[in-house]
Amino acid sequence: MRTRKSSTPRRMATNDLSDYQLLLQRRGGSELVELDQFVFGTLPELIRSRSPPHLRREELGTVMRWKLKRGRFRPRLQALVESNAEDAVKLASTAAFQALTRGDGGKPVPLQAAEAAVKELVVLRGVGPATASAVLTAYDPESIVFMSDEALASVPSLRGKKDYSLRSFSKLMEFMVSKREASLRQGPPRSLAEIERDIFTSANSDGQQQSRKRKRVER
């Protein structure tokens, strides 16, 4: 008898965590680590097990909790996301995932397809391009990047602006794809999600080191 996978995060051991997971633990405790494991471990399997692939309202709420705990906490967004109807979430996510259909030979998702997928999701209450990118990254971490503050700050053409628009998402995608292509000369292929996690970890680790130096100077 097959058991139904839970749509909520499970408790996980805290030993042998990566630098990224340790950073998450410092920022949001074990809950954030577990949310991250769910969003990028369990959720993709749940989405792809359905015909057609789609997201449920409870899962959209979980993605939002992950996003807010990992970045800036804005409780109103959580309430807005959870106010969406179940059918609306299913229809929007189905259309978004269908927009990400790859070309022949497993080629990367074209930028226009990624933009189209974001547009399908932002019709939902509380979902902007950043939240849409989080949902799409969970579905296709190889080809979509999450619009984190740290990732946006790394894009030279954005000049440090935290602009959560579709235009900024497109610029972020172009920049991250170029970084992935450059990394191929140094090692095996990496997903855009992995590259974003490295940027997130490096940016926050550097910030913590600078904070410690300032404290030592003040003493």
Side-chain angles (χ1 to χ4, degrees):
M1 179 178 177
R2 294 181 62 185
T3 57
R4 183 176 176 272
K5 291 186 178 180
S6 171
S7 60
T8 55
R10 294 181 300 170
R11 290 283 172 185
M12 62 171 289
T14 56
N15 59 318
D16 298 326
L17 296 179
S18 66
D19 289 343
Y20 169 70
Q21 290 172 319
L22 288 170
L23 177 58
L24 293 184
Q25 191 171 54
R26 288 195 295 270
R27 175 166 289 199
S30 60
E31 181 185 0
L32 180 54
V33 177
E34 291 151 16
L35 283 168
D36 193 82
Q37 288 288 321
F38 174 78
V39 170
F40 295 107
T42 305
L43 184 56
E45 296 179 11
L46 289 172
I47 292 172
R48 293 179 181 277
S49 70
R50 299 165 187 151
S51 183
H54 63 272
L55 194 69
R56 292 178 177 164
R57 182 176 61 181
E58 178 187 4
E59 295 161 351
L60 178 60
T62 301
V63 172
M64 179 59 82
R65 283 201 303 277
W66 168 83
K67 174 179 174 285
L68 295 178
K69 287 189 75 69
R70 191 179 187 258
R72 289 188 298 167
F73 183 68
R74 290 180 287 179
R76 187 169 180 271
L77 284 181
Q78 188 70 49
L80 278 174
V81 159
E82 292 175 353
S83 72
N84 285 292
E86 187 73 59
D87 285 348
V89 175
K90 179 179 179 180
L91 287 172
S93 59
T94 297
F97 298 148
Q98 287 176 344
L100 290 183
T101 302
R102 294 169 182 268
D104 295 336
K107 294 180 181 178
V109 171
L111 179 58
Q112 288 183 332
E115 293 172 340
V118 169
K119 290 177 182 178
E120 296 289 354
L121 287 171
V122 297
V123 301
L124 296 171
R125 286 192 293 271
V127 176
T131 302
S133 73
V135 170
L136 297 173
T137 300
Y139 178 72
D140 189 354
E142 291 293 326
S143 300
I144 305 295
V145 61
F146 170 51
M147 258 179 108
S148 64
D149 289 347
E150 293 80 4
L152 286 175
S154 73
V155 182
S157 61
L158 292 178
R159 299 177 182 178
K161 295 179 181 178
K162 294 179 181 178
D163 175 24
Y164 305 100
S165 64
L166 181 61
R167 176 177 172 274
S168 291
F169 171 73
S170 300
K171 287 183 174 294
L172 173 62
M173 283 287 296
E174 291 174 337
F175 178 68
M176 296 294 274
V177 168
S178 69
K179 282 184 70 69
R180 177 172 59 187
E181 291 174 350
S183 71
L184 291 176
R185 296 191 289 268
Q186 302 171 357
R190 306 185 68 220
S191 70
L192 295 190
E194 288 173 330
I195 296 173
E196 188 279 330
R197 281 195 284 270
D198 283 352
I199 292 172
F200 175 85
T201 303
S202 176
N204 286 286
S205 298
D206 290 346
Q208 289 176 357
Q209 289 173 0
Q210 290 173 4
S211 177
R212 293 192 192 101
K213 288 180 181 178
R214 284 197 297 270
K215 288 180 180 179
R216 284 198 293 268
V217 170
E218 290 169 0
R219 289 174 187 171

